[in-house]
């Protein structure tokens, strides 16, 4: 299956670079690249892409407003790719329904992985952002704030997988760290997602931080 992608960024060099990286993969096709948020919405309506790569700061409509307007739709899945990793941007994007948040200095491999993850309903956040949020958010979560209760208790292995996920590890990295297969990791995450009624791995990670399962490292 070919993953159809629209790129929205006001910098031509960025759009060109992303297009070259993505189109070098046989399973990804860039169907359009546009310069602002309104053009992004038009391109989505015209091309019906699987994934939309969005910058945050763009003319006319910014990436966060585009994300809000597309929230609730099955497609496209949205990945924010930006130079701005301010916490308020991260929270607004992910709570608005984005499936991923990457910095523009992320590796080409991570950009491709984020697109592939989004296309299948998964999510990926730059490890640097995830770890920082974990470190910064955990001390500020009020003791009285209760995280959602799982429909069923998580198994110990599921808890280990969630801890790794909350550190920003990819499925492949989790498999390597826990010495299990990639399919086993995916099965555990699917079970956790069902137990938490979470939309994606980002919400699983948020639950891990809120519940105290994930704790910041020194």
């Amino acid at each position: 299956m070919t993953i159809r992608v629209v790129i929205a960024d006001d910098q031509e060099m960025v759009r060109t670079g992303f297009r070259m990286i993505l189109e070098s993969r046989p399973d990804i096709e860039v169907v359009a690249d546009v310069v602002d948020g309104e053009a992004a919405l038009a391109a989505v309506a015209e091309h019906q892409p699987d994934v939309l790569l969005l910058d945050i700061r763009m003319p006319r409509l910014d990436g966060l407003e585009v994300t809000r307007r597309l929230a609730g739709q099955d497609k496209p899945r949205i990945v924010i790719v930006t130079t701005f990793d301010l916490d308020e941007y991260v929270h607004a994007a992910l709570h608005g329904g984005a499936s991923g948040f990457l910095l523009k200095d992320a590796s080409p491999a991570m950009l491709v992985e984020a697109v592939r993850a989004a296309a299948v309903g998964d999510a990926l956040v730059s490890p640097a952002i995830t770890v920082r949020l974990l470190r910064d958010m955990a001390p500020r979560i009020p003791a009285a704030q209760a995280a959602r209760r799982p429909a069923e208790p998580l198994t110990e292995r599921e808890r280990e997988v969630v801890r790794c996920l909350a550190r920003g590890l990819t499925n492949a990295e989790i498999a390597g760290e826990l010495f299990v297969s990639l399919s086993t990791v995916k099965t555990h995450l699917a079970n956790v997602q069902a137990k938490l009624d979470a939309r994606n791995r980002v919400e699983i990670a948020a639950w891990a931080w809120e519940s105290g399962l994930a704790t910041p490292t020194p």
Side-chain angles (χ1 to χ4, degrees), residues 6-119:
V6 167
I7 301 169
D9 193 292
D10 61 348
Q11 297 182 44
E12 183 177 359
M13 288 184 62
V14 171
R15 297 195 309 276
T16 300
F18 285 175
R19 179 184 280 273
M20 291 177 61
I21 291 168
L22 296 176
E23 290 194 330
S24 70
R25 271 54 177 188
D27 60 329
I28 300 176
E29 175 189 5
V30 177
V31 296
D33 62 77
V34 297
V35 300
D36 60 52
E38 288 192 3
L41 292 175
V44 166
E46 178 181 355
H47 297 286
Q48 298 295 304
D50 301 297
V51 177
L52 172 60
L53 292 182
L54 274 179
D55 190 14
I56 287 183
R57 294 187 179 179
M58 295 185 296
R60 299 204 287 178
L61 287 180
D62 64 29
L64 298 179
E65 180 59 27
V66 173
T67 300
R68 284 191 288 269
R69 294 194 185 190
L70 294 175
Q73 298 186 22
D74 181 52
K75 289 183 181 180
R77 303 291 168 80
I78 295 172
V79 177
I80 299 292
V81 188
T82 183
T83 54
F84 303 99
D85 67 337
L86 299 176
D87 287 354
E88 56 266 34
Y89 286 162
V90 180
H91 286 292
L94 299 182
H95 286 293
S99 293
F101 196 106
L102 297 180
L103 299 182
K104 286 183 179 175
D105 61 1
S107 69
M110 182 164 288
L111 177 66
V112 172
E113 185 170 357
V115 167
R116 289 173 174 162

Side-chain angles (χ1 to χ4, degrees), residues 157 161 170-189:
R157 180 58 89 181
V161 169
T170 65
N171 287 356
E173 290 169 337
I174 295 172
E177 179 153 324
L178 299 181
F179 303 102
V180 298
S181 69
L182 184 59
S183 62
T184 297
V185 172
K186 291 180 179 178
T187 297
H188 285 314
L189 287 176

